[in-house]
Amino acid sequence: EGDPVARRVSTSPPLSQSQVVEFWAKQRLAMDALKKENNIPKAASLFREAVALNPEHEDSRYYLANCLYAQGDTAGALEQLDALIRINPQSHRGYQRKGLLLAVSAANRAQLVTAGECVRQAQTLNPEETGTLLLLGEIALLKGDTANARRQLELACRTNPKAVGGYFLRGYLAWKSHDLPHARELLLAASNARGKDWKPAGAVAEGDVRARMHTEGSILSSVWDNWNGSTDPEAAYSPADRAIKMRAMQTAP
């Protein structure tokens, strides 16, 4: 899973051979707990032990942040991401995940703007990364900047033809503009991008959304996760509109 132990010039004392062995044992157990067992508390504890052994390992910091967020500790997660960015100022994933968590936890417009600045830094580091484009589109949508939202979402779909969220939210913007044929067309594109094997997720509770956040990079994914696949714009977007408005109200000036 990724970064070597000594990827950059270290400011920490070099590890002994036994510490290196112990570090990798903790790291592998942590990844197994996270990815195979889906045991986030166990993974978080093991990642903490790995970070204590090697404070400059990027993967350990990144996955610990995701585990902490999934458990509701946003402040702790942001602390780990800040440490990751200090270790590697070119960490696209560090800036993107920090921007996501700041956006999700934003309580006013100023905090949402700060989140957007962080995501734009990630975009600067990797302009073609689809998740960053989608996230920028979502932030613009929540801020009421529909022109920028549309532009970012179009870029996301152009970069990744399987960007379900990009098509769905573009259709939402078309529906809000009363362009029902275009909204229906984009819903069909979202359905095609999702594929034949997709099944409706059902209602997604707030805790479930947070628990899945370690694998997703979206603020509004619940609106298309809860979509039943209907290509009727009114049926698809009325519930989505309520959820998006509620989220936008949380960050109103």
Side-chain angles (χ1 to χ4, degrees), residues 128-165:
E128 299 302 316
E129 210 286 319
T130 309
T132 306
L133 296 169
L134 177 61
L135 189 49
L136 285 170
E138 291 177 316
I139 291 172
L141 178 59
L142 292 175
K143 288 165 57 182
D145 186 354
T146 55
N148 187 34
R150 190 175 289 109
R151 182 165 56 252
Q152 297 295 343
L153 294 169
E154 286 173 357
L155 283 171
C157 294
R158 195 178 310 155
T159 306
N160 177 15
K162 297 294 185 183
V164 176

mmCIF file of all heavy atoms in Angstrom, residues 128-165:
data_model
loop_
_atom_site.group_PDB
_atom_site.id
_atom_site.type_symbol
_atom_site.label_atom_id
_atom_site.label_comp_id
_atom_site.label_asym_id
_atom_site.label_seq_id
_atom_site.Cartn_x
_atom_site.Cartn_y
_atom_site.Cartn_z
ATOM 1 N N GLU A 128 -5.954 16.610 -13.058
ATOM 2 C CA GLU A 128 -6.866 15.696 -13.739
ATOM 3 C C GLU A 128 -7.564 14.718 -12.799
ATOM 4 O O GLU A 128 -8.291 13.842 -13.262
ATOM 5 C CB GLU A 128 -6.097 14.910 -14.814
ATOM 6 C CG GLU A 128 -5.485 15.783 -15.907
ATOM 7 C CD GLU A 128 -6.539 16.625 -16.617
ATOM 8 O OE1 GLU A 128 -7.609 16.090 -16.945
ATOM 9 O OE2 GLU A 128 -6.290 17.822 -16.825
ATOM 10 N N GLU A 129 -7.336 14.824 -11.500
ATOM 11 C CA GLU A 129 -7.931 13.868 -10.569
ATOM 12 C C GLU A 129 -9.435 14.124 -10.453
ATOM 13 O O GLU A 129 -9.864 15.187 -10.046
ATOM 14 C CB GLU A 129 -7.258 13.998 -9.196
ATOM 15 C CG GLU A 129 -7.217 12.701 -8.410
ATOM 16 C CD GLU A 129 -8.579 12.346 -7.851
ATOM 17 O OE1 GLU A 129 -9.276 13.258 -7.379
ATOM 18 O OE2 GLU A 129 -8.945 11.161 -7.898
ATOM 19 N N THR A 130 -10.217 13.130 -10.838
ATOM 20 C CA THR A 130 -11.661 13.309 -10.940
ATOM 21 C C THR A 130 -12.315 13.642 -9.606
ATOM 22 O O THR A 130 -13.225 14.471 -9.542
ATOM 23 C CB THR A 130 -12.310 12.028 -11.501
ATOM 24 O OG1 THR A 130 -11.625 11.661 -12.697
ATOM 25 C CG2 THR A 130 -13.767 12.246 -11.814
ATOM 26 N N GLY A 131 -11.870 12.986 -8.546
ATOM 27 C CA GLY A 131 -12.480 13.225 -7.245
ATOM 28 C C GLY A 131 -12.353 14.666 -6.802
ATOM 29 O O GLY A 131 -13.271 15.226 -6.193
ATOM 30 N N THR A 132 -11.226 15.288 -7.104
ATOM 31 C CA THR A 132 -11.027 16.691 -6.750
ATOM 32 C C THR A 132 -11.994 17.577 -7.522
ATOM 33 O O THR A 132 -12.576 18.514 -6.969
ATOM 34 C CB THR A 132 -9.576 17.112 -7.032
ATOM 35 O OG1 THR A 132 -8.695 16.224 -6.359
ATOM 36 C CG2 THR A 132 -9.318 18.533 -6.579
ATOM 37 N N LEU A 133 -12.173 17.292 -8.805
ATOM 38 C CA LEU A 133 -13.093 18.076 -9.627
ATOM 39 C C LEU A 133 -14.527 17.952 -9.117
ATOM 40 O O LEU A 133 -15.251 18.943 -9.030
ATOM 41 C CB LEU A 133 -13.005 17.610 -11.088
ATOM 42 C CG LEU A 133 -11.657 17.830 -11.776
ATOM 43 C CD1 LEU A 133 -11.622 17.097 -13.117
ATOM 44 C CD2 LEU A 133 -11.394 19.318 -11.985
ATOM 45 N N LEU A 134 -14.919 16.727 -8.757
ATOM 46 C CA LEU A 134 -16.265 16.519 -8.216
ATOM 47 C C LEU A 134 -16.436 17.281 -6.911
ATOM 48 O O LEU A 134 -17.460 17.943 -6.688
ATOM 49 C CB LEU A 134 -16.508 15.025 -7.999
ATOM 50 C CG LEU A 134 -17.849 14.647 -7.358
ATOM 51 C CD1 LEU A 134 -19.020 15.090 -8.224
ATOM 52 C CD2 LEU A 134 -17.914 13.143 -7.108
ATOM 53 N N LEU A 135 -15.444 17.216 -6.057
ATOM 54 C CA LEU A 135 -15.519 17.898 -4.761
ATOM 55 C C LEU A 135 -15.600 19.409 -4.937
ATOM 56 O O LEU A 135 -16.388 20.081 -4.252
ATOM 57 C CB LEU A 135 -14.300 17.506 -3.927
ATOM 58 C CG LEU A 135 -14.247 17.927 -2.458
ATOM 59 C CD1 LEU A 135 -15.530 17.582 -1.730
ATOM 60 C CD2 LEU A 135 -13.053 17.273 -1.784
ATOM 61 N N LEU A 136 -14.832 19.951 -5.854
ATOM 62 C CA LEU A 136 -14.914 21.391 -6.133
ATOM 63 C C LEU A 136 -16.305 21.762 -6.655
ATOM 64 O O LEU A 136 -16.845 22.816 -6.301
ATOM 65 C CB LEU A 136 -13.840 21.797 -7.145
ATOM 66 C CG LEU A 136 -12.414 21.886 -6.602
ATOM 67 C CD1 LEU A 136 -11.426 22.064 -7.750
ATOM 68 C CD2 LEU A 136 -12.272 23.032 -5.598
ATOM 69 N N GLY A 137 -16.887 20.888 -7.482
ATOM 70 C CA GLY A 137 -18.241 21.135 -7.969
ATOM 71 C C GLY A 137 -19.257 21.125 -6.851
ATOM 72 O O GLY A 137 -20.161 21.968 -6.809
ATOM 73 N N GLU A 138 -19.114 20.201 -5.924
ATOM 74 C CA GLU A 138 -20.035 20.123 -4.789
ATOM 75 C C GLU A 138 -19.926 21.358 -3.901
ATOM 76 O O GLU A 138 -20.940 21.916 -3.464
ATOM 77 C CB GLU A 138 -19.731 18.873 -3.967
ATOM 78 C CG GLU A 138 -20.081 17.574 -4.668
ATOM 79 C CD GLU A 138 -19.693 16.355 -3.849
ATOM 80 O OE1 GLU A 138 -18.585 16.327 -3.293
ATOM 81 O OE2 GLU A 138 -20.515 15.433 -3.764
ATOM 82 N N ILE A 139 -18.693 21.786 -3.625
ATOM 83 C CA ILE A 139 -18.497 22.968 -2.786
ATOM 84 C C ILE A 139 -19.103 24.195 -3.449
ATOM 85 O O ILE A 139 -19.789 25.004 -2.808
ATOM 86 C CB ILE A 139 -17.002 23.174 -2.476
ATOM 87 C CG1 ILE A 139 -16.500 22.058 -1.547
ATOM 88 C CG2 ILE A 139 -16.750 24.544 -1.841
ATOM 89 C CD1 ILE A 139 -15.002 22.041 -1.332
ATOM 90 N N ALA A 140 -18.881 24.343 -4.751
ATOM 91 C CA ALA A 140 -19.469 25.476 -5.478
ATOM 92 C C ALA A 140 -20.989 25.414 -5.428
ATOM 93 O O ALA A 140 -21.658 26.448 -5.253
ATOM 94 C CB ALA A 140 -18.978 25.467 -6.928
ATOM 95 N N LEU A 141 -21.544 24.227 -5.554
ATOM 96 C CA LEU A 141 -23.000 24.065 -5.501
ATOM 97 C C LEU A 141 -23.543 24.498 -4.143
ATOM 98 O O LEU A 141 -24.541 25.225 -4.054
ATOM 99 C CB LEU A 141 -23.355 22.603 -5.781
ATOM 100 C CG LEU A 141 -24.827 22.209 -5.718
ATOM 101 C CD1 LEU A 141 -25.656 23.019 -6.711
ATOM 102 C CD2 LEU A 141 -24.985 20.716 -6.002
ATOM 103 N N LEU A 142 -22.883 24.086 -3.074
ATOM 104 C CA LEU A 142 -23.329 24.457 -1.735
ATOM 105 C C LEU A 142 -23.194 25.956 -1.479
ATOM 106 O O LEU A 142 -23.943 26.527 -0.691
ATOM 107 C CB LEU A 142 -22.553 23.671 -0.685
ATOM 108 C CG LEU A 142 -22.834 22.163 -0.647
ATOM 109 C CD1 LEU A 142 -21.914 21.471 0.357
ATOM 110 C CD2 LEU A 142 -24.299 21.878 -0.311
ATOM 111 N N LYS A 143 -22.235 26.585 -2.139
ATOM 112 C CA LYS A 143 -22.051 28.034 -2.008
ATOM 113 C C LYS A 143 -23.026 28.817 -2.876
ATOM 114 O O LYS A 143 -23.082 30.048 -2.796
ATOM 115 C CB LYS A 143 -20.617 28.412 -2.379
ATOM 116 C CG LYS A 143 -19.579 27.986 -1.357
ATOM 117 C CD LYS A 143 -18.167 28.057 -1.913
ATOM 118 C CE LYS A 143 -17.813 29.437 -2.418
ATOM 119 N NZ LYS A 143 -16.442 29.459 -3.003
ATOM 120 N N GLY A 144 -23.772 28.120 -3.743
ATOM 121 C CA GLY A 144 -24.696 28.796 -4.640
ATOM 122 C C GLY A 144 -24.064 29.291 -5.915
ATOM 123 O O GLY A 144 -24.696 30.025 -6.679
ATOM 124 N N ASP A 145 -22.827 28.893 -6.196
ATOM 125 C CA ASP A 145 -22.111 29.300 -7.408
ATOM 126 C C ASP A 145 -22.372 28.259 -8.489
ATOM 127 O O ASP A 145 -21.539 27.397 -8.772
ATOM 128 C CB ASP A 145 -20.617 29.423 -7.101
ATOM 129 C CG ASP A 145 -19.815 29.974 -8.271
ATOM 130 O OD1 ASP A 145 -20.385 30.165 -9.365
ATOM 131 O OD2 ASP A 145 -18.593 30.196 -8.087
ATOM 132 N N THR A 146 -23.550 28.337 -9.109
ATOM 133 C CA THR A 146 -23.969 27.281 -10.021
ATOM 134 C C THR A 146 -23.121 27.232 -11.288
ATOM 135 O O THR A 146 -22.891 26.147 -11.829
ATOM 136 C CB THR A 146 -25.447 27.438 -10.394
ATOM 137 O OG1 THR A 146 -25.671 28.746 -10.921
ATOM 138 C CG2 THR A 146 -26.339 27.231 -9.176
ATOM 139 N N ALA A 147 -22.649 28.386 -11.761
ATOM 140 C CA ALA A 147 -21.841 28.389 -12.985
ATOM 141 C C ALA A 147 -20.539 27.617 -12.762
ATOM 142 O O ALA A 147 -20.133 26.785 -13.586
ATOM 143 C CB ALA A 147 -21.548 29.822 -13.427
ATOM 144 N N ASN A 148 -19.873 27.886 -11.635
ATOM 145 C CA ASN A 148 -18.630 27.173 -11.336
ATOM 146 C C ASN A 148 -18.906 25.700 -11.040
ATOM 147 O O ASN A 148 -18.129 24.821 -11.440
ATOM 148 C CB ASN A 148 -17.930 27.829 -10.146
ATOM 149 C CG ASN A 148 -16.560 27.245 -9.887
ATOM 150 O OD1 ASN A 148 -15.835 26.857 -10.810
ATOM 151 N ND2 ASN A 148 -16.177 27.149 -8.629
ATOM 152 N N ALA A 149 -20.009 25.431 -10.356
ATOM 153 C CA ALA A 149 -20.374 24.036 -10.075
ATOM 154 C C ALA A 149 -20.547 23.263 -11.373
ATOM 155 O O ALA A 149 -20.020 22.159 -11.534
ATOM 156 C CB ALA A 149 -21.655 23.981 -9.252
ATOM 157 N N ARG A 150 -21.268 23.851 -12.300
ATOM 158 C CA ARG A 150 -21.498 23.184 -13.588
ATOM 159 C C ARG A 150 -20.186 22.941 -14.319
ATOM 160 O O ARG A 150 -19.956 21.856 -14.868
ATOM 161 C CB ARG A 150 -22.441 24.046 -14.437
ATOM 162 C CG ARG A 150 -22.937 23.360 -15.693
ATOM 163 C CD ARG A 150 -23.964 24.209 -16.420
ATOM 164 N NE ARG A 150 -25.232 24.283 -15.700
ATOM 165 C CZ ARG A 150 -25.683 25.358 -15.083
ATOM 166 N NH1 ARG A 150 -24.985 26.481 -15.068
ATOM 167 N NH2 ARG A 150 -26.844 25.335 -14.465
ATOM 168 N N ARG A 151 -19.305 23.931 -14.278
ATOM 169 C CA ARG A 151 -18.017 23.801 -14.976
ATOM 170 C C ARG A 151 -17.176 22.675 -14.382
ATOM 171 O O ARG A 151 -16.627 21.846 -15.108
ATOM 172 C CB ARG A 151 -17.268 25.139 -14.891
ATOM 173 C CG ARG A 151 -15.932 25.160 -15.606
ATOM 174 C CD ARG A 151 -15.428 26.585 -15.791
ATOM 175 N NE ARG A 151 -15.328 27.312 -14.541
ATOM 176 C CZ ARG A 151 -16.148 28.309 -14.168
ATOM 177 N NH1 ARG A 151 -17.119 28.691 -14.970
ATOM 178 N NH2 ARG A 151 -15.981 28.932 -13.014
ATOM 179 N N GLN A 152 -17.086 22.628 -13.057
ATOM 180 C CA GLN A 152 -16.274 21.596 -12.414
ATOM 181 C C GLN A 152 -16.867 20.197 -12.638
ATOM 182 O O GLN A 152 -16.137 19.224 -12.865
ATOM 183 C CB GLN A 152 -16.160 21.878 -10.913
ATOM 184 C CG GLN A 152 -15.464 23.179 -10.551
ATOM 185 C CD GLN A 152 -13.991 23.207 -10.955
ATOM 186 O OE1 GLN A 152 -13.374 22.175 -11.221
ATOM 187 N NE2 GLN A 152 -13.426 24.398 -10.996
ATOM 188 N N LEU A 153 -18.179 20.092 -12.570
ATOM 189 C CA LEU A 153 -18.831 18.799 -12.752
ATOM 190 C C LEU A 153 -18.686 18.309 -14.194
ATOM 191 O O LEU A 153 -18.515 17.101 -14.432
ATOM 192 C CB LEU A 153 -20.312 18.890 -12.368
ATOM 193 C CG LEU A 153 -20.571 19.168 -10.877
ATOM 194 C CD1 LEU A 153 -22.032 19.512 -10.647
ATOM 195 C CD2 LEU A 153 -20.157 17.984 -10.017
ATOM 196 N N GLU A 154 -18.756 19.229 -15.142
ATOM 197 C CA GLU A 154 -18.527 18.841 -16.543
ATOM 198 C C GLU A 154 -17.108 18.327 -16.742
ATOM 199 O O GLU A 154 -16.883 17.339 -17.449
ATOM 200 C CB GLU A 154 -18.809 20.029 -17.468
ATOM 201 C CG GLU A 154 -20.287 20.339 -17.625
ATOM 202 C CD GLU A 154 -20.550 21.627 -18.397
ATOM 203 O OE1 GLU A 154 -19.557 22.323 -18.766
ATOM 204 O OE2 GLU A 154 -21.729 21.931 -18.640
ATOM 205 N N LEU A 155 -16.146 18.982 -16.109
ATOM 206 C CA LEU A 155 -14.753 18.522 -16.188
ATOM 207 C C LEU A 155 -14.608 17.142 -15.565
ATOM 208 O O LEU A 155 -13.889 16.280 -16.091
ATOM 209 C CB LEU A 155 -13.829 19.517 -15.481
ATOM 210 C CG LEU A 155 -13.504 20.811 -16.220
ATOM 211 C CD1 LEU A 155 -12.765 21.779 -15.291
ATOM 212 C CD2 LEU A 155 -12.663 20.529 -17.461
ATOM 213 N N ALA A 156 -15.294 16.914 -14.446
ATOM 214 C CA ALA A 156 -15.224 15.604 -13.785
ATOM 215 C C ALA A 156 -15.745 14.508 -14.707
ATOM 216 O O ALA A 156 -15.143 13.432 -14.816
ATOM 217 C CB ALA A 156 -16.016 15.630 -12.487
ATOM 218 N N CYS A 157 -16.856 14.778 -15.388
ATOM 219 C CA CYS A 157 -17.440 13.781 -16.295
ATOM 220 C C CYS A 157 -16.579 13.579 -17.539
ATOM 221 O O CYS A 157 -16.473 12.458 -18.051
ATOM 222 C CB CYS A 157 -18.849 14.197 -16.697
ATOM 223 S SG CYS A 157 -20.031 14.190 -15.333
ATOM 224 N N ARG A 158 -15.971 14.648 -18.005
ATOM 225 C CA ARG A 158 -15.106 14.543 -19.183
ATOM 226 C C ARG A 158 -13.863 13.715 -18.849
ATOM 227 O O ARG A 158 -13.377 12.939 -19.664
ATOM 228 C CB ARG A 158 -14.694 15.943 -19.649
ATOM 229 C CG ARG A 158 -14.105 15.991 -21.052
ATOM 230 C CD ARG A 158 -13.766 17.413 -21.429
ATOM 231 N NE ARG A 158 -14.870 18.332 -21.197
ATOM 232 C CZ ARG A 158 -14.741 19.626 -20.983
ATOM 233 N NH1 ARG A 158 -13.530 20.175 -20.928
ATOM 234 N NH2 ARG A 158 -15.789 20.398 -20.799
ATOM 235 N N THR A 159 -13.350 13.901 -17.628
ATOM 236 C CA THR A 159 -12.147 13.180 -17.211
ATOM 237 C C THR A 159 -12.461 11.729 -16.891
ATOM 238 O O THR A 159 -11.650 10.839 -17.146
ATOM 239 C CB THR A 159 -11.534 13.866 -15.965
ATOM 240 O OG1 THR A 159 -11.329 15.247 -16.257
ATOM 241 C CG2 THR A 159 -10.194 13.246 -15.604
ATOM 242 N N ASN A 160 -13.648 11.485 -16.323
ATOM 243 C CA ASN A 160 -14.033 10.135 -15.919
ATOM 244 C C ASN A 160 -15.466 9.864 -16.364
ATOM 245 O O ASN A 160 -16.413 10.309 -15.716
ATOM 246 C CB ASN A 160 -13.908 9.985 -14.396
ATOM 247 C CG ASN A 160 -14.376 8.619 -13.920
ATOM 248 O OD1 ASN A 160 -14.525 7.695 -14.716
ATOM 249 N ND2 ASN A 160 -14.619 8.498 -12.633
ATOM 250 N N PRO A 161 -15.655 9.100 -17.450
ATOM 251 C CA PRO A 161 -17.006 8.810 -17.945
ATOM 252 C C PRO A 161 -17.853 8.020 -16.955
ATOM 253 O O PRO A 161 -19.057 7.894 -17.146
ATOM 254 C CB PRO A 161 -16.754 7.983 -19.215
ATOM 255 C CG PRO A 161 -15.344 8.287 -19.616
ATOM 256 C CD PRO A 161 -14.603 8.544 -18.339
ATOM 257 N N LYS A 162 -17.243 7.496 -15.889
ATOM 258 C CA LYS A 162 -17.982 6.752 -14.873
ATOM 259 C C LYS A 162 -18.284 7.607 -13.636
ATOM 260 O O LYS A 162 -18.621 7.074 -12.577
ATOM 261 C CB LYS A 162 -17.182 5.515 -14.442
ATOM 262 C CG LYS A 162 -16.945 4.513 -15.556
ATOM 263 C CD LYS A 162 -18.251 3.878 -16.011
ATOM 264 C CE LYS A 162 -18.013 2.791 -17.037
ATOM 265 N NZ LYS A 162 -19.288 2.212 -17.536
ATOM 266 N N ALA A 163 -18.172 8.918 -13.768
ATOM 267 C CA ALA A 163 -18.404 9.820 -12.631
ATOM 268 C C ALA A 163 -19.908 9.972 -12.388
ATOM 269 O O ALA A 163 -20.541 10.946 -12.821
ATOM 270 C CB ALA A 163 -17.757 11.175 -12.893
ATOM 271 N N VAL A 164 -20.479 8.998 -11.701
ATOM 272 C CA VAL A 164 -21.935 8.978 -11.459
ATOM 273 C C VAL A 164 -22.389 10.280 -10.803
ATOM 274 O O VAL A 164 -23.374 10.898 -11.231
ATOM 275 C CB VAL A 164 -22.311 7.784 -10.560
ATOM 276 C CG1 VAL A 164 -23.797 7.813 -10.227
ATOM 277 C CG2 VAL A 164 -21.934 6.474 -11.220
ATOM 278 N N GLY A 165 -21.668 10.703 -9.770
ATOM 279 C CA GLY A 165 -22.050 11.917 -9.054
ATOM 280 C C GLY A 165 -22.012 13.147 -9.939
ATOM 281 O O GLY A 165 -22.858 14.044 -9.812
#
